[in-house]
Amino acid sequence: MPKREKVREMFDGIAGSYDKLNHIMSLDIDKCWRRRAIRKFITPDRPQNILDLACGTGDFSIATARIMHPDSHVTAIDLSPGMLDIMRQKAAQANLEDRISINTGDGEKLDFQDRTFDVVTIAFGIRNFENREAGLREIRRVLKDGGKIVILELSEPENPVVRWIYNIYFTGIMPVIGRKISGNGRAYSYLPASVSVFPRKEKWMQTMKECGFASVTHKSLSLGICRLYTGERQD
């Protein structure tokens, strides 16, 4: 089975408990990470057309829609119908249905015309792509000239002591919590495994450049547990 199908099935299976587990296991620090990322691109005084890839249950899209210009719009796509069902409920509860479009979609094969979006965001989803380079090239294709890509992704801390604590929690404690709450320990064993094989910051920044992005930047968040990457399409 292709990786994208395995990922879709896995997230469909944990959709109902995903938000609760996500916030418990990150101690709500993930909300701070999203706010830092949104500040990198939001322009409250100017309309923007924003694409949120691998949107999951919609936390990033909804946080963006709350503060963006009234004439801006977020298009949110994800492989998992189960996750999107939760997102639709949350968007309705927040009265943001008219500001967010929600659709099933594949980040490696975007169904949009060239130069459609001012910003493309991916929060904690790029590591799940089957072909990350194909995804980056598709993102560049749909960005307008001067448009920005903003990526949040988990990572292993570089500091040895912090990494030791991180590994105890992520590989030992987190799968147990995930299994007890969601009934799916496999999904929460997949998370640390997928983080461990994601490229280090230097290699990932080089990959972004090789896929056509300029002005690539990196910011370490929370001692390197999360990383924020940005880049621009410059023709």
Side-chain angles (χ1 to χ4, degrees):
M1 181 186 296
K3 179 180 178 180
R4 60 170 55 85
E5 290 302 315
K6 292 181 180 178
V7 168
R8 180 188 61 76
E9 288 186 1
M10 181 181 66
F11 282 105
D12 276 346
I14 63 173
S17 58
Y18 180 81
D19 281 343
K20 180 179 180 180
L21 272 167
N22 201 29
H23 298 313
I24 288 175
M25 292 190 295
S26 72
L27 305 177
D28 273 350
I29 298 173
D30 60 306
K31 296 178 182 178
C32 298
W33 297 336
R34 290 185 181 91
R35 287 195 293 269
R36 293 283 295 273
I38 290 169
R39 288 201 293 268
K40 286 290 184 179
F41 67 85
I42 203 71
T43 57
D45 59 339
R46 178 171 59 84
Q48 293 172 295
N49 195 14
I50 301 164
L51 174 63
D52 186 22
L53 295 181
C55 62
T57 60
D59 280 352
F60 199 96
S61 295
I62 291 170
T64 299
R66 289 186 192 277
I67 64 171
M68 67 188 185
H69 187 280
D71 294 327
S72 292
H73 191 80
V74 177
T75 300
I77 68 171
D78 197 277
L79 283 174
S80 167
M83 300 286 272
L84 294 179
D85 286 343
I86 302 296
M87 180 179 181
R88 291 186 181 95
Q89 296 172 25
K90 291 164 64 175
Q93 291 169 0
N95 294 316
L96 293 170
E97 293 169 291
D98 60 333
R99 309 192 74 183
I100 305 174
S101 300
I102 304 170
N103 295 288
T104 306
D106 185 347
E108 297 175 29
K109 298 177 182 178
L110 296 173
D111 191 21
F112 304 107
Q113 294 183 351
D114 295 359
R115 295 178 172 85
T116 298
F117 297 97
D118 300 289
V119 181
V120 177
T121 63
I122 317 173
F124 315 115
I126 191 68
R127 72 179 184 280
N128 298 321
F129 280 36
E130 190 165 13
N131 186 328
R132 300 186 191 109
E133 289 81 2
L136 288 174
R137 293 188 181 98
E138 273 290 87
I139 291 167
R140 187 184 184 280
R141 179 184 66 78
V142 302
L143 275 172
K144 299 176 183 177
D145 186 24
K148 181 172 285 189
I149 179 174
V150 178
I151 299 173
L152 273 176
E153 192 51 83
L154 297 172
S155 70
E156 291 186 333
E158 294 178 340
N159 180 283
V161 175
V162 177
R163 186 168 63 247
W164 178 73
I165 297 170
Y166 166 95
N167 284 330
I168 290 175
Y169 181 69
F170 267 69
T171 63
I173 298 173
M174 191 177 68
V176 175
I177 297 173
R179 182 169 58 252
K180 286 185 177 180
I181 295 179
S182 72
N184 190 331
R186 183 179 67 87
Y188 290 92
S189 295
Y190 165 82
L191 173 58
S194 65
V195 172
S196 69
V197 298
F198 191 77
R200 302 297 183 188
K201 64 179 186 292
E202 296 86 0
K203 184 175 181 180
W204 182 244
M205 292 173 73
Q206 183 60 35
T207 298
M208 291 177 66
K209 293 173 184 177
E210 290 172 355
C211 290
F213 289 98
S215 303
V216 174
T217 69
H218 159 268
K219 178 69 175 177
S220 174
L221 305 177
S222 301
L223 302 175
I225 295 172
C226 180
R227 299 187 185 276
L228 171 60
Y229 300 93
T230 66
E232 295 180 3
R233 172 174 180 160
Q234 294 180 1
D235 290 339

